C-alpha cells in the first residue's frame, strides 16, 4: 500500500507541522533517521513517515512491531529551547491528539483511554505508543517525537505475544481509516497543542489529558526495572509527572517507568 501524498495534503490544515514531510517505504526507525537527519528540515514540525520499520524502537528499549502498510509510523521534529521548563509535556501531545480524535469519532461506542505516559488504549487494547528522544543541540534542543499507531492490522497479523494486549483501530472498531488522513488529523491537533505549551498554557492540556486518562483514585502499579510501586492515581504534575497517592497517604511523583495492569 503506497503513501498518497495528495490525500495527506488535502487533509492537512497546519501552518508548520507536516508541511515538510519525507516518506520512506522502509526505514530502520523513523526516530533514528530523524535524529541523524534533522538538518533536512528548516522549521519545527518536520515529519518523516515510513510504511515499515525494520528496527522500530519502543520505550524502555523494547522493539516496536508493525504490519506493512497498515501501521502509521512517523516522527516529528521539534526545535526547542532547552531552557523551556515545559519541554517534557511535549511528549504527551501525540497520544492526546489520537485520544481526542478517537473519542470524537467513536464517542461512547468504544472506550478510549490514555495510559501514562503516552499509550493509547482502545477497548483496553494498546493501539499506539510514543517514543520521545532528544538530540544534541546548541541554542535549540531538537526533540523527536515518534509515534506508532496500529491503524488497520488484523489480530492474526500480530505476533502471538502481542495478540492479547494489542489491537488496531480496525480490530477494535471494524472501521478502517487511511493512514494519510489519520496523520494529517493528528498533526492538525498537535500543532495548536505544541503552541500552547510554548506559550506556557499547559493547564488546559493537562485537563484534557485527565479527561481521557484513568479516573482519579484508580489503583495503579508503576514499574521500572525491578521497582514496583502501587498507589491511587492522583493526577498529573505540572510537567506531566505521574502522581500516585501511596497507602501511607503521601503523594509521590514519577517521571519514568510503565504502568502495568
Ligand atoms: C512504545 O509504546 O513503546 C513507544 C513506541 C513508539 C514507536 C514509534 S513508531 C515510529 C517511531 N520510530 C521508532 O523507532 N519508534 C517510534
Amino acid at each position: 500500500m503506497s503513501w498518497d501524498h495528495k490525500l495527506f495534503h488535502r487533509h492537512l490544515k497546519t501552518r508548520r507541522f507536516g508541511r515538510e514531510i519525507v516518506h520512506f517505504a522502509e526505514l530502520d526507525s523513523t526516530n533514528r533517521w530523524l535524529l541523524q537527519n534533522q538538518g533536512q528540515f528548516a522549521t519545527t514540525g518536520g515529519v518523516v513517515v515510513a510504511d515499515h520499520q525494520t528496527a522500530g524502537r519502543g520505550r524502555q528499549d523494547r522493539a516496536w512491531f508493525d504490519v506493512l502498510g497498515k501501521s502509521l509510523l512517523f516522527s516529528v521534529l521539534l526545535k526547542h529551547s532547552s531552557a523551556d521548563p515545559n519541554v517534557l509535556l511535549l511528549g504527551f501531545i501525540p497520544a492526546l491528539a489520537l485520544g481526542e480524535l478517537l473519542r470524537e469519532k467513536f464517542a461512547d461506542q468504544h472506550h478510549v483511554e490514555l495510559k501514562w505516559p503516552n499509550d493509547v488504549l482502545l477497548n483496553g487494547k494498546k493501539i499506539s505508543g510514543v517514543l520521545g528522544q532528544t538530540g544534541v543541540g546548541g541554542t535549540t534542543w531538537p526533540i523527536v517525537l515518534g509515534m506508532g499507531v496500529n491503524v488497520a492490522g488484523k489480530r492474526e497479523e500480530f505476533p502471538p505475544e502481542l495478540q492479547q494486549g494489542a489491537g488496531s483501530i480496525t480490530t477494535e472498531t471494524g472501521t478502517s481509516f487511511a493512514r494519510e488522513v489519520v496523520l494529517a488529523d493528528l498533526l492538525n491537533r498537535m500543532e495548536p497543542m505544541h503552541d500552547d505549551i510554548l506559550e506556557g498554557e499547559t493547564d488546559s492540556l493537562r485537563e484534557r489529558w485527565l479527561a481521557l486518562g484513568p479516573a482519579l483514585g484508580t489503583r495503579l502499579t508503576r514499574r521500572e526495572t525491578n521497582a514496583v510501586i502501587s498507589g491511587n492515581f492522583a493526577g498529573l504534575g505540572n510537567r506531566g509527572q505521574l502522581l500516585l497517592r501511596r497507602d501511607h497517604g503521601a503523594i509521590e511523583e514519577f517521571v519514568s517507568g510503565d504502568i502495568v495492569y
Side-chain angles (χ1 to χ4, degrees):
M1 221 182 283
S2 59
W3 183 260
D4 185 341
H5 276 290
K6 277 197 185 141
L7 180 61
F8 170 72
H9 283 288
R10 257 207 317 278
H11 285 82
L12 191 68
K13 308 272 186 288
T14 59
R15 281 184 298 120
R16 290 156 296 149
F17 277 46
R19 292 292 160 192
E20 292 181 283
I21 183 163
V22 182
H23 167 263
F24 291 91
E26 183 177 293
L27 265 187
D28 53 349
S29 152
T30 57
N31 268 34
R32 198 277 314 150
W33 185 89
L34 193 49
L35 283 165
Q36 287 179 1
N37 295 278
Q38 34 172 299
Q40 295 221 1
F41 296 116
T43 57
T44 232
V47 171
V48 54
V49 59
D51 296 335
H52 174 55
Q53 294 182 136
T54 53
R57 295 195 47 196
R59 294 178 63 246
Q60 318 273 0
D61 258 341
R62 290 183 289 248
W64 182 257
F65 164 83
D66 67 79
V67 181
L68 173 65
K70 297 185 178 178
S71 306
L72 176 60
L73 309 160
F74 71 99
S75 302
V76 187
L77 177 68
L78 307 177
K79 299 189 177 200
H80 242 266
S81 153
S82 54
D84 188 339
N86 293 318
V87 100
L88 283 175
L89 278 173
L90 292 168
F92 286 76
I93 290 179
L96 180 57
L98 180 61
E100 292 188 340
L101 182 165
L102 293 172
R103 179 63 68 89
E104 263 175 47
K105 300 269 184 225
F106 298 113
D108 297 326
Q109 286 171 278
H110 298 286
H111 184 63
V112 181
E113 186 167 332
L114 299 180
K115 180 177 153 207
W116 187 90
N118 37 38
D119 288 353
V120 182
L121 309 182
L122 190 53
N123 296 338
K125 305 283 185 195
K126 176 164 172 170
I127 60 150
S128 173
V130 176
L131 177 66
Q133 294 182 283
T134 52
V136 190
T139 48
T140 60
W141 187 17
I143 295 174
V144 167
L145 294 181
M147 184 178 216
V149 185
N150 302 334
V151 178
K154 301 196 186 103
R155 192 162 313 287
E156 61 270 23
E157 293 173 310
F158 291 10
E161 67 276 15
L162 294 182
Q163 290 189 1
Q164 179 77 12
S168 71
I169 300 178
T170 300
T171 62
E172 296 316 306
T173 68
T175 317
S176 59
F177 291 100
R179 293 172 303 148
E180 296 87 340
V181 177
V182 177
L183 179 58
D185 194 334
L186 289 176
L187 296 170
N188 293 343
R189 292 165 192 269
M190 286 168 63
E191 184 173 89
M193 292 180 190
H194 164 271
D195 294 350
D196 280 353
I197 291 178
L198 230 62
E199 283 158 24
E201 307 211 346
T202 58
D203 287 352
S204 85
L205 284 181
R206 280 191 300 130
E207 277 162 28
R208 282 158 68 184
W209 195 96
L210 288 171
L212 289 169
L216 291 175
T218 303
R219 190 78 180 163
L220 295 180
T221 300
R222 174 257 183 198
R223 183 171 62 202
E224 184 159 37
T225 51
N226 291 328
V228 179
I229 285 168
S230 294
N232 294 337
F233 182 54
L236 280 187
N238 54 11
R239 288 176 295 113
Q241 312 94 304
L242 172 71
L243 304 183
L244 288 185
R245 184 179 294 282
R246 304 293 307 282
D247 293 342
H248 46 68
I251 292 184
E252 286 184 21
E253 53 178 66
F254 302 93
V255 291
S256 59
D258 272 329
I259 302 298
V260 287
Y261 289 139

